[in-house]
Amino acid sequence: MTTPPDTNRALDIAPVGARTHWEVGGPPVAGATEVRAPVGVLAYEPADMTITVGAGTTFDELDRVLAEQGQQCALDPRSRAATVGGILACGLSGPRRLRHGPVRDHVLEVRFETGDGRLVKGGGPTVKNVTGYDLPRLFVGSLGTIGVLHQATLRCRPRPVRSQWFTGVDTARAFRPAARLWDGRREAVLLEGVDVDVEAEGRGLAALAAPPRFPDGPHRGRISVAPGAVRACAAALTRTPSESASAPGEVRWCAELGVGTIHVAADDAAALARARSVAHAHGGWMLREAGGSAADDGYGCALPNAALMRRVKDAFDPAGKLNRGRLPLGAVHA
Amino acid sequence: MTDLRACVGEGRASDEPLELALYARDAGVAVGRADAVCFPGSGAEIAAAVRVARRHGRPFVARGSGTGLAGGSTPLGDPVVIVTTQMNRVLEVDAQTCVAWVEPGVLNLDLSREVAPLGLHYAPDPSSQQACTIGGNVGTNAGGPHCLSEGVTSAHILAVDVVLPDGTEARLGSLAPDAPGYDLRGCFVGSEGTMGIATRIAVRLTPDPPCVATILCAFDSVEAAAATVSGVIAAGVLPAALEMMDARITQAVEDFVGAGYPRDAQAVLLVEVDGLEGGVATQVDAISSVARTNGATLVRVAADDAERALLWKGRKSAFGAIARIAPDYYLHDAVVPRTKLVDVLRRVYEIADAHELIVMNVFHAGDGNLHPLLVFDRREPGIWDRVYAAGTEILDACLDAGGVLTGEHGVGIEKRDLMARMFSVDDLDAQARLRDAFDPDGAANPQKVLPSGSRCGELQRVPDGTWI
């Protein structure tokens, strides 16, 4: 899906990063004025383990700068071309959230422009801070609907000496692994640490030459279920043979064990819609990430606390200028 | 009172002067006035109590054990005080997915004790963990020594069932990752009771580490200890906890509990690393090496669990030990970048000297989270003015160094009027609008967190007695 060229300088505003998450939450309305955030590292003090970057900075650049000092920020977007602003706005965490926490736990301070044109700072630059309300967490996952991010201060961590994926039957016994994945055929576990620990924990498992890949295809989504339901939900995505004659196309999936996220991909929109109904049957929902149809926008369930969320939206964007058409408020794209 | 008794039961609501006086303050210095106090036994009773308060035009204030130090649960505006301590059950524990549902009045340490047989614990561990409630921890987004590697409360809260300020009930967050829409859970945690009351909390439990090492380091100067803290972080080591105590507090603790700290040290560091054996050994070596490079006079790894427990008992008894020095203390809470610790600590001592006050430092050094303690005797004439002036100067010094006003205690009433030192008019206005989205009438814990006048040009519509 593409956004028509900006011809009429409409009131609508759509922040743009690298467009790697562009279809998440539905495209902004046609004619929205696209705005871009500053690019580059603004401050980096390795001994504080904090970095401040312009929101337009790509994850690739961020990771390269941190790696030079033996540090990392485990935002782990699907594409390294994604910008920090896009990652925060979408709030979609990578598989290492199992050990390193979700995107929202890496953000210390945000500076964004509200819908009524005020530059607002929330949070603070230190690794610990409870001064005032937690605007950084409110911003993460808000899909650009409460403000246009200018810059963010992120918490960094030491980069592990060794990082190795393994596969085997007993990936559950590893102590707090960085990630655990299951695609229906095999389980994979990412072990991080010093060599001796990774080797000891990996004993009895087989090292993988390359990390597992998430399924890809023209139609993609991300299912969320309670971690206790993830195996049952994922298994239900696999068609049984009796269904295969009449059921729509195959759903390819990879589940994050211990987290509750299942990445799904399909070659046709109907299969994605089926994945969503499976998610519902297991008490969860599916966020469309790419492809699908307009009917697949939203979470496919009533938005919880919608009235309260509407008041939050109005508090930051009273005229409704920002990313009209995108989630989270519209349950269905209109 | 009749309406309140009808919803929480006879004997669970009171307006007796003695009871009201008990709930007129928390562990901070501000004293307020409660109009009534009640002790609901369920979420439904909390909701009913909130609705009664609202129907009678009263604000309400939620409160756990009252261990807060910033006056966050001090009743202002003649509110109904809703105490959650009767709701102290751990409702469900799922060891497979490491999640527990708890009532808000569960004590922090009780939760960890209850799940200990499963090899799990609740990671945030405020020094008051024997007394403070999980509900209160949610309110202040509480920290603790082990939050250095594990993060503060918000990182451990998956979902909260709440009574919103209009008396309706809602679930914020979810067990499934990333609840649809805005992260209202993230807004609620740390909102200090100004967005409603938690009635059920889903917490993330943390597996116990297979290997733990606790290191005691002693130094001839506070500067050397602070330089070691910065050096450890700069060396790429993130310990589980990294605490510092200066000479005065170390001696007080030794007199109090005999934890085995060296009495002649000018500063000691208590460093804990945990995880797998190899990683722990590597980190112990790295920390010991940085400490020795900075002139440590002692580097000792606790030999066994008993010695570890004793070292931690000393650290967590610090505030009790102060009673031996002077009858009163004023505890501050601010954070500075870890690279600024040496400079800021020097300023803290200078400021205390200039005001002829005794300052003691015991704090979460690894986070840069300072807790300067000004000890005094309130019977001394004019002492409060000096304590207050010194405290404000210390906070200014922290802000000047690129720090923040509070790291874990919260803003409450104590730091409310200092918020403008850290936030612009527009920043405060945005926060006020967020609060209004949850609580348009300002009924939940009024006059806290945000100073009056935070709303741009809207003062005329603020109800009397709440924000002005």
Side-chain angles (χ1 to χ4, degrees):
Chain A
M1 268 170 235
T2 56
T3 304
D6 169 29
T7 50
N8 58 359
R9 304 295 299 171
L11 188 70
D12 288 299
I13 290 169
V16 181
R19 294 182 189 271
T20 59
H21 296 97
W22 193 244
E23 293 178 37
V24 175
V29 292
T33 299
E34 296 186 352
V35 295
R36 287 173 185 279
V39 175
V41 175
L42 302 170
Y44 178 32
E45 180 51 76
D48 280 328
M49 288 193 198
T50 59
I51 188 166
T52 302
V53 297
T57 309
T58 63
F59 177 77
D60 190 64
E61 167 78 358
L62 171 72
D63 193 50
R64 195 181 53 73
V65 170
L66 294 175
E68 283 170 10
Q69 301 293 330
Q71 294 184 359
Q72 62 172 350
C73 181
L75 299 176
D76 299 355
R78 196 177 165 102
S79 162
R80 290 179 64 89
T83 63
V84 168
I87 296 165
L88 267 52
C90 293
L92 299 180
S93 305
R96 289 195 300 164
R97 80 180 282 169
L98 180 65
R99 183 65 183 87
H100 298 280
V103 166
R104 61 178 185 248
D105 289 351
H106 299 286
V107 186
L108 301 172
E109 181 184 283
V110 291
R111 295 187 189 204
F112 60 86
E113 192 161 338
T114 59
D116 51 354
R118 299 173 197 230
L119 187 59
V120 166
K121 176 183 80 175
T126 55
V127 294
K128 202 171 178 188
N129 172 36
V130 296
T131 319
Y133 296 124
D134 200 338
L135 297 187
R137 282 193 168 85
L138 175 65
F139 187 88
V140 173
S142 66
L143 285 166
T145 62
I146 63 165
V148 179
L149 190 69
H150 285 215
Q151 67 180 63
T153 302
L154 305 168
R155 173 204 297 271
C156 322
R157 293 284 166 113
R159 226 174 171 85
V161 178
R162 175 94 174 271
S163 184
Q164 175 68 52
W165 282 95
F166 291 88
T167 186
V169 289
D170 190 15
T171 64
R173 80 181 150 78
F175 173 72
R176 300 183 76 182
R180 280 179 71 207
L181 301 175
W182 178 49
D183 65 3
R185 291 177 299 122
R186 66 178 185 191
E187 281 184 30
V189 62
L190 177 61
L191 302 181
E192 293 182 345
V194 297
D195 288 333
V196 54
D197 288 339
V198 170
E199 279 156 24
E201 290 270 288
R203 218 161 279 150
L205 301 171
L208 287 172
R213 297 171 67 116
F214 287 152
D216 210 349
H219 305 278
R220 286 195 288 112
R222 179 181 284 235
I223 289 174
S224 284
V225 290
V230 72
R231 281 182 185 274
C233 181
L237 290 167
T238 306
R239 285 181 305 161
T240 59
S242 61
E243 272 184 288
S244 56
S246 58
E250 175 200 24
V251 175
R252 298 179 291 279
W253 56 266
C254 184
E256 297 183 23
L257 299 177
V259 172
T261 297
I262 306 170
H263 303 267
V264 296
D267 294 328
D268 59 291
L272 200 66
R274 186 171 69 84
R276 167 167 280 168
S277 62
V278 169
H280 292 165
H282 291 82
W285 58 88
M286 188 198 79
L287 177 67
R288 182 176 67 115
E289 289 187 277
S293 67
D296 293 327
D297 264 332
Y299 301 90
C301 58
L303 192 67
N305 308 304
L308 176 53
M309 288 192 193
R310 167 55 65 188
R311 292 199 298 274
V312 170
K313 161 78 173 171
D314 290 346
F316 290 89
D317 182 24
K321 285 183 186 180
L322 298 174
N323 257 353
R324 190 155 60 88
R326 278 223 201 276
L327 290 178
L329 285 175
V332 174
H333 177 57
Chain B
M1 280 310 299
T2 312
D3 288 354
L4 210 49
R5 286 200 180 94
C7 56
V8 298
E10 201 68 33
R12 283 203 164 171
S14 171
D15 58 358
E16 293 296 321
L18 179 63
E19 200 101 57
L20 297 184
L22 272 175
Y23 293 95
R25 59 180 294 184
D26 55 18
V29 294
V31 181
R33 206 189 80 83
D35 193 51
V37 57
C38 66
F39 305 85
S42 68
E45 288 183 10
I46 289 180
V50 167
R51 288 194 293 265
V52 166
R54 298 301 311 275
R55 202 161 61 234
H56 289 267
R58 295 287 183 202
F60 62 91
V61 173
R63 172 193 175 99
S65 302
T67 57
L69 289 158
S73 56
T74 299
L76 298 177
D78 291 331
V80 174
V81 173
I82 299 174
V83 186
T84 61
T85 49
Q86 299 295 316
M87 295 174 62
N88 57 3
R89 290 175 304 164
V90 175
L91 301 167
E92 284 175 48
V93 177
D94 183 343
Q96 279 293 309
T97 57
C98 297
V99 174
W101 278 100
V102 304
E103 290 186 323
V106 169
L107 300 187
N108 176 297
L109 191 59
D110 283 354
L111 174 58
S112 279
R113 283 192 179 132
E114 179 143 347
V115 299
L118 303 168
L120 299 170
H121 66 283
Y122 178 64
D125 58 340
S127 294
S128 58
Q129 70 181 140
Q130 297 189 35
C132 63
T133 63
I134 300 291
N137 293 171
V138 167
T140 54
N141 196 6
H146 287 85
C147 293
L148 176 56
S149 62
E150 300 298 335
V152 296
T153 299
S154 188
H156 303 270
I157 302 300
L158 299 169
V160 203
D161 286 348
V162 302
V163 174
L164 293 169
D166 64 3
T168 59
E169 295 181 61
R171 172 165 296 182
L172 313 180
S174 61
L175 297 189
D178 309 323
Y182 300 126
D183 184 10
L184 301 180
R185 173 211 63 87
C187 295
F188 185 89
V189 177
S191 64
E192 304 192 35
T194 63
M195 293 179 179
I197 305 182
T199 60
R200 257 165 60 100
I201 301 157
V203 303
R204 190 163 67 83
L205 301 171
T206 303
D208 295 342
C211 187
V212 183
T214 306
I215 314 165
L216 179 70
C217 307
F219 299 87
D220 280 339
S221 71
V222 168
E223 283 83 359
T228 300
V229 173
S230 300
V232 165
I233 303 295
V237 177
L238 193 65
L242 206 179
E243 302 285 303
M244 182 166 155
M245 293 187 281
D246 70 8
R248 285 188 185 119
I249 198 89
T250 304
Q251 287 155 19
V253 164
E254 272 308 287
D255 292 343
F256 191 53
V257 293
Y261 301 148
R263 286 173 187 273
D264 55 350
Q266 287 305 300
V268 301
L269 291 179
L270 193 57
V271 195
E272 188 156 283
V273 293
D274 65 23
L276 296 165
E277 202 177 344
V280 167
T282 306
Q283 293 187 65
V284 167
D285 287 349
I287 291 161
S288 305
S289 156
V290 171
R292 291 203 180 92
T293 305
N294 283 288
T297 54
L298 169 77
V299 177
R300 190 176 92 213
V301 181
D304 51 31
D305 283 352
E307 189 179 352
R308 278 191 51 234
L310 192 58
L311 289 173
W312 276 112
K313 186 181 177 194
R315 165 61 185 87
K316 293 197 176 182
S317 309
F319 299 121
I322 289 153
R324 305 175 72 96
I325 311 280
D328 300 294
Y329 67 80
Y330 195 103
L331 172 63
H332 273 284
D333 166 46
V335 190
V336 297
R338 295 178 270 216
T339 45
K340 302 287 172 57
L341 271 176
V342 176
D343 296 341
V344 172
L345 276 174
R346 190 179 301 128
R347 274 296 292 148
V348 167
Y349 288 108
E350 285 170 5
I351 290 166
D353 285 349
H355 290 275
E356 296 176 13
L357 290 166
I358 295 177
V359 67
M360 305 169 112
N361 280 291
V362 46
F363 61 98
H364 312 309
D367 286 320
N369 189 181
L370 297 174
H371 285 322
L373 265 153
L374 298 164
V375 296
F376 59 98
D377 183 341
R378 70 173 74 205
R379 291 167 297 190
E380 192 181 328
I383 188 80
W384 262 118
D385 293 340
R386 277 155 53 205
V387 168
Y388 184 78
T392 307
E393 282 175 40
I394 287 170
L395 288 174
D396 278 338
C398 292
L399 291 178
D400 289 346
V404 299
L405 281 173
T406 167
E408 55 182 15
H409 294 177
V411 174
I413 189 164
E414 180 196 31
K415 289 177 175 159
R416 183 191 66 185
D417 296 337
L418 301 172
M419 288 283 277
R421 296 185 190 217
M422 185 170 151
F423 292 111
S424 73
V425 169
D426 283 341
D427 299 341
L428 290 173
D429 180 59
Q431 295 192 36
R433 291 199 222 178
L434 177 61
R435 185 196 195 285
D436 288 350
F438 277 81
D439 182 19
D441 305 320
N445 204 8
Q447 304 178 54
K448 303 292 169 57
V449 184
L450 298 176
S452 61
S454 292
R455 291 159 185 76
C456 295
E458 294 183 312
L459 284 177
Q460 66 279 5
R461 73 168 184 78
V462 175
D464 280 350
T466 51
W467 288 94
I468 299 170

PDB file of all heavy atoms in Angstrom, chain A residues 14 25 63 92 130 151 225 228 257 283 287:
ATOM      1  N   ALA A  14       1.494  12.887   8.954  1.00  0.00           N
ATOM      2  CA  ALA A  14       1.923  11.487   9.096  1.00  0.00           C
ATOM      3  C   ALA A  14       3.440  11.454   9.262  1.00  0.00           C
ATOM      4  O   ALA A  14       4.168  11.806   8.341  1.00  0.00           O
ATOM      5  CB  ALA A  14       1.505  10.685   7.867  1.00  0.00           C
ATOM      6  N   GLY A  25      -0.985  -1.107  11.568  1.00  0.00           N
ATOM      7  CA  GLY A  25      -2.044  -0.223  12.044  1.00  0.00           C
ATOM      8  C   GLY A  25      -2.788   0.492  10.938  1.00  0.00           C
ATOM      9  O   GLY A  25      -3.610   1.345  11.202  1.00  0.00           O
ATOM     10  N   ASP A  63      22.963   0.578  16.258  1.00  0.00           N
ATOM     11  CA  ASP A  63      23.633  -0.650  16.681  1.00  0.00           C
ATOM     12  C   ASP A  63      25.128  -0.593  16.358  1.00  0.00           C
ATOM     13  O   ASP A  63      25.956  -1.081  17.133  1.00  0.00           O
ATOM     14  CB  ASP A  63      22.977  -1.842  15.974  1.00  0.00           C
ATOM     15  CG  ASP A  63      23.391  -3.166  16.595  1.00  0.00           C
ATOM     16  OD1 ASP A  63      23.300  -3.286  17.828  1.00  0.00           O
ATOM     17  OD2 ASP A  63      23.832  -4.059  15.853  1.00  0.00           O
ATOM     18  N   LEU A  92       6.853  -2.638  18.478  1.00  0.00           N
ATOM     19  CA  LEU A  92       6.930  -4.075  18.207  1.00  0.00           C
ATOM     20  C   LEU A  92       8.316  -4.574  18.604  1.00  0.00           C
ATOM     21  O   LEU A  92       9.317  -4.191  18.023  1.00  0.00           O
ATOM     22  CB  LEU A  92       6.670  -4.339  16.719  1.00  0.00           C
ATOM     23  CG  LEU A  92       5.281  -3.897  16.243  1.00  0.00           C
ATOM     24  CD1 LEU A  92       5.111  -4.196  14.757  1.00  0.00           C
ATOM     25  CD2 LEU A  92       4.191  -4.588  17.047  1.00  0.00           C
ATOM     26  N   VAL A 130      11.528   8.372  38.212  1.00  0.00           N
ATOM     27  CA  VAL A 130      10.071   8.289  38.346  1.00  0.00           C
ATOM     28  C   VAL A 130       9.467   9.683  38.490  1.00  0.00           C
ATOM     29  O   VAL A 130       8.412   9.850  39.082  1.00  0.00           O
ATOM     30  CB  VAL A 130       9.636   7.387  39.535  1.00  0.00           C
ATOM     31  CG1 VAL A 130      10.083   5.959  39.306  1.00  0.00           C
ATOM     32  CG2 VAL A 130      10.167   7.895  40.864  1.00  0.00           C
ATOM     33  N   GLN A 151      13.321  13.042  19.347  1.00  0.00           N
ATOM     34  CA  GLN A 151      14.495  12.328  19.817  1.00  0.00           C
ATOM     35  C   GLN A 151      14.143  11.451  21.008  1.00  0.00           C
ATOM     36  O   GLN A 151      13.105  11.655  21.648  1.00  0.00           O
ATOM     37  CB  GLN A 151      15.607  13.308  20.212  1.00  0.00           C
ATOM     38  CG  GLN A 151      15.269  14.149  21.423  1.00  0.00           C
ATOM     39  CD  GLN A 151      16.392  15.104  21.786  1.00  0.00           C
ATOM     40  OE1 GLN A 151      16.736  15.988  21.006  1.00  0.00           O
ATOM     41  NE2 GLN A 151      16.977  14.906  22.961  1.00  0.00           N
ATOM     42  N   VAL A 225      -0.949 -13.806  22.405  1.00  0.00           N
ATOM     43  CA  VAL A 225      -1.763 -14.595  23.337  1.00  0.00           C
ATOM     44  C   VAL A 225      -0.981 -14.688  24.647  1.00  0.00           C
ATOM     45  O   VAL A 225       0.218 -14.417  24.683  1.00  0.00           O
ATOM     46  CB  VAL A 225      -2.062 -16.022  22.810  1.00  0.00           C
ATOM     47  CG1 VAL A 225      -3.009 -15.991  21.633  1.00  0.00           C
ATOM     48  CG2 VAL A 225      -0.775 -16.751  22.451  1.00  0.00           C
ATOM     49  N   GLY A 228       0.980 -18.866  28.273  1.00  0.00           N
ATOM     50  CA  GLY A 228       0.517 -20.226  28.539  1.00  0.00           C
ATOM     51  C   GLY A 228      -0.290 -20.819  27.393  1.00  0.00           C
ATOM     52  O   GLY A 228      -0.505 -22.028  27.326  1.00  0.00           O
ATOM     53  N   LEU A 257       8.281 -18.571  22.368  1.00  0.00           N
ATOM     54  CA  LEU A 257       7.895 -19.273  23.595  1.00  0.00           C
ATOM     55  C   LEU A 257       8.267 -18.415  24.808  1.00  0.00           C
ATOM     56  O   LEU A 257       9.314 -17.770  24.826  1.00  0.00           O
ATOM     57  CB  LEU A 257       8.600 -20.630  23.664  1.00  0.00           C
ATOM     58  CG  LEU A 257       8.276 -21.601  22.526  1.00  0.00           C
ATOM     59  CD1 LEU A 257       9.098 -22.883  22.681  1.00  0.00           C
ATOM     60  CD2 LEU A 257       6.793 -21.930  22.499  1.00  0.00           C
ATOM     61  N   GLY A 283      -7.989 -16.538  22.962  1.00  0.00           N
ATOM     62  CA  GLY A 283      -8.029 -15.407  23.900  1.00  0.00           C
ATOM     63  C   GLY A 283      -7.088 -14.272  23.540  1.00  0.00           C
ATOM     64  O   GLY A 283      -6.783 -13.440  24.387  1.00  0.00           O
ATOM     65  N   LEU A 287      -2.394  -8.401  15.221  1.00  0.00           N
ATOM     66  CA  LEU A 287      -2.130  -7.092  14.624  1.00  0.00           C
ATOM     67  C   LEU A 287      -1.606  -7.336  13.215  1.00  0.00           C
ATOM     68  O   LEU A 287      -0.640  -8.069  13.025  1.00  0.00           O
ATOM     69  CB  LEU A 287      -1.083  -6.351  15.461  1.00  0.00           C
ATOM     70  CG  LEU A 287      -0.639  -4.984  14.944  1.00  0.00           C
ATOM     71  CD1 LEU A 287      -1.780  -3.981  15.005  1.00  0.00           C
ATOM     72  CD2 LEU A 287       0.546  -4.474  15.754  1.00  0.00           C
TER      73      LEU A 287
END
